[in-house]
Amino acid sequence: MEQNDIPKAYDPKEWEEKLYQKWEESGFFNPDTCIEKGVAKADASTFSIVLPPPNVTGHLHAGHAAMLAIEDSIVRYHRMKGERTLWLPGTDHAAIATQSKVESIIRKVEGKTRHDFSREEFLERVRHFAQDSHDRIAHQIRKMGSSVDWSREAFTLDDKRSLAVRTAFKKMYDDGLIYQGDRIVNWDPHLQTTVSDDEIERKEEKSRFYYLKYGPFIISTARPETKFGDKYVVMHPDDGRYAEYRHGQKIELEWISGPITATVIKDAAVDPTFGTGVMTITPWHDAIDFEIAERHRLESEQIIGFDGKLLDIAGAFAGEDILEAREKIIERLTEKGLVEKIDENYVHSVATNSRGGGLIEPQIKKQWFVAVNREFERDGKMVTLKSLMRDAVAKRGSDDQITILPEQFEKVYFHWIDNLRDWCISRQIWYGHRIPVWYRKRTTGNGRLATDEEETEIYCGIEAPEGDGWEQDPDTLDTWFSSGLWTFSTLGWPACAETATAGQAGPENDLANYHPTTLLETGYDILFFWVARMVLMSEYLRGERPFDTVYLHGLVRDGQGRKMSKSLGNTIDPLDVSEVHGADAMRMALLAGNTPGNDIRLSDEKIVSMRNFTNKLWNLARYVGTMSETVDHAAPEPKSDTDRDLLEKLHRIVVDVTRHLDRYELSMAIEMLREFTWGDFADWYVEAHKVERNDALLRHAFDVIIRLWHPFMPFVTEAIHETLHLTGSEILMVAKWPEYKDTRTTIANENRFALMKNVIIGIRNVRATYRIDPAKKLIVSAYGGSEKAFRENELVFKRLARISEIRRMDSRVPPKDSLLIQSGLLQAYLHLEDVVDIDIERARLGKELANTEAYAKSLEAKLGNPSFAERAPEAVVAQTRSLLDETRAKAEELRLHLGSLV
């Protein structure tokens, strides 16, 4: 193929859509097809990963694009290794977030709420919205080049996942691990539903802080609207300031709506150092107050309704919004002389719903909970769900242990587990998995229905109960309950749990073949939300870990390190970037420099740089395309030192990239591969090839290079493969991953071209140091083995070093006005006659060396001064040490230059 037959620039728009269609139609995303077509063997090791299901609430952002780039790179690598590789895709119904989105649209467009529709009418609206979002997300996943197995796509609210949810709920219910109880929960008055502890987002807010007279005590609060029912005053039992008061003592005092009787409670939960060390409690609207009331069996009364308005207990303030009533209540207290003082600059954290932004109001409500501390028997010993979650990660050295990358997040995981409370799993919304519990009034002996006070019949089952009169619980389950089953519900559980057979192809055997999954890759921000709950569900329901390794990626930030947000105007749409620069550029910008647990910076400059590298790879293909079209896929025999050097570097880069990918060190693999491609191959071997041609090795090396790049840059590498037909595979995606023999030379037969490259670099540095015209060719002299080495590589050496003549030295006496350049045993004397004035240069370098040494001594004296070392800021001392190291290095370089002038 002629170079002119290949377009000058790679155009992603010409390639990406048709290549993805080709991949998808090939069936190779499906591991069963890979086995059928001989790409993978039936007894090959497996690699499995589930896609963290994006919420069907809109479109994918840069964080999702990073997730797809990381996972696809890993998946493509393992597929090329010939493993049975499954990447299972899906989406999450995201109950609260999706319903909130639809309700917002209906309210904005139609001025209605969900209560203006029947439950089924409203759910049909939500399902339509979710389907549109799903289709948009699936399109975006394809645009990023993600090689997921679409034939196994799942949805957390489809029929199969619904069966899994009902099965899991019933088992936990039957085992006593799911219970219903009146406990304090996080209530969102706006969305009218409970919210889990992990979905609470705390925001700093400046407000007024009130100090109020409560009988003989001074109490403090930021929420006086909750104080109507306060009839308990609590203090630490060891607080000497209140030693005169007895636990249970009654005190008569004036309060908001008139005189009340308060009871003294002594409890160690009170912090004596906060405020006055005494407080009143509102058990219905505060978690800590609720726990104190539970310990002492105190009464609790609801002050704020579920609509966020004050109830009848507030008297004249009943029916008012709590925020609007606050100042009116303070006015009442002021009139009564019960306001001691007001702090105008109090800053505290306010709990909001991360899913909708609404303010959270703690409420006591009958809800469904998962008991994480309740014991049950497992393998002859008593365990809890919390202990199963902890042991899954804590079993150091065990084959069953889950590895978390990076390791420091294990401490975060354990801290969360150790402080885990019972999980509230019921939500007062319509969209989601409805709780599989039904109720009906029992019939009394005379045939009448039982009253509310009499016992109600309860049924929990996978299917609805038979008979009349049953009503299903109206609540739905927390989204994380269904997504906690994701690693095995997507693989056929529970339907295939008993019939699955390891080693056999087909989705019906997926559970046996691919679970536990090999890897879970997700953001560190959902370590608690999702990762921990998957461990809980899999350990309890399957008796095994859900995955071997957890890879936690960081947040994607802008080029200045700021979080991306619409308000800052710094968001980057992955599809917009792909449209302009190509998906490969977007992927590379997200992968380069991206290490587990660390945030990644994404900027336009970085994206453009990666687009330029894409073009560099394409231009290399244009050059290679001018060579013979025949390729020996085994490494051709080297003909020269440059060939031997390339083969050695090829071995090393294959080994290094493979090692880093096995360790999920994608960024390290990319940096090493980019340095090799741009440096060793493009800058050195291709330039050498122009005068010392070995077409077979050039094409062979480029074949290896595009295979190594394929996981990271699938589109451009597949386009190159289709254009040049380098590999023996029809599709690069399933070409064999490179394996390379060690061709490293022994010490006795040192790689001569590696030494020669150092000499060439030395000559280039001399040109820069002495400002020699780049077009001017120079002369070198060499002696013995060095002269022989330069002669044997004369064409390459002359081209790359811009040398006109290589002169033979009959003795070791250096030529006059020459500069010695040495690498190992290889020596070259660069003639500088008529090029530079040696005496002037020697004087200039000597003066510069003297100044540099003097400056180094001044820095040494400064660091040796105890006054500076002890009093200066640590950063300043460190900077001075670094400057001293740089100065010493510069002095050494100048000495070498001086010593080389002969």
Side-chain angles (χ1 to χ4, degrees), residues 36-98:
E36 292 170 9
K37 296 186 177 182
V39 172
K41 294 182 179 180
D43 60 351
S45 59
T46 62
F47 181 89
S48 57
I49 180 172
V50 292
L51 176 72
N55 295 344
V56 286
T57 52
H59 63 280
L60 302 185
H61 50 65
H64 290 114
M67 172 188 74
L68 293 170
I70 293 169
E71 293 180 22
D72 191 50
S73 298
I74 295 170
V75 165
R76 286 178 181 271
Y77 163 66
H78 284 276
R79 187 185 291 120
M80 292 177 76
K81 286 179 68 179
E83 298 175 8
R84 291 183 296 157
T85 304
L86 173 62
W87 187 14
L88 201 151
T91 47
D92 192 340
H93 66 287
I96 292 180
T98 305

Side-chain angles (χ1 to χ4, degrees), residues 205-217:
E205 181 182 273
K206 183 179 178 182
S207 68
R208 305 175 89 191
F209 196 61
Y210 308 95
Y211 292 82
L212 309 177
K213 296 177 182 178
Y214 190 82
F217 308 105

Side-chain angles (χ1 to χ4, degrees), residues 232-276:
Y232 302 103
V233 59
V234 189
M235 59 207 66
H236 197 283
D238 299 329
D239 193 334
R241 291 171 294 178
Y242 306 107
E244 63 182 286
Y245 298 98
R246 304 182 316 278
H247 178 77
Q249 181 179 344
K250 304 294 183 181
I251 298 175
E252 302 296 327
L253 57 90
E254 182 67 23
W255 197 224
I256 306 173
S257 299
I260 65 168
T261 301
T263 304
V264 173
I265 300 296
K266 298 289 185 91
D267 193 284
V270 179
D271 181 1
T273 65
F274 181 76
T276 61

Side-chain angles (χ1 to χ4, degrees), residues 87 322 541 753 861:
W87 187 14
I322 55 175
L541 294 166
F753 188 69

Side-chain angles (χ1 to χ4, degrees), residues 418-458:
D418 292 341
N419 292 279
L420 184 62
R421 300 190 302 174
D422 284 359
W423 172 18
C424 178
I425 57 173
S426 47
R427 300 290 179 266
Q428 289 65 55
I429 59 175
W430 290 351
Y431 185 58
H433 292 279
R434 198 162 173 179
I435 289 176
V437 173
W438 287 259
Y439 312 94
R440 72 175 173 185
K441 299 282 181 63
R442 290 186 184 276
T443 304
T444 63
N446 59 7
R448 70 174 177 83
L449 290 177
T451 65
D452 289 339
E453 291 75 25
E454 293 176 311
E455 188 177 357
T456 299
E457 191 175 0
I458 300 177

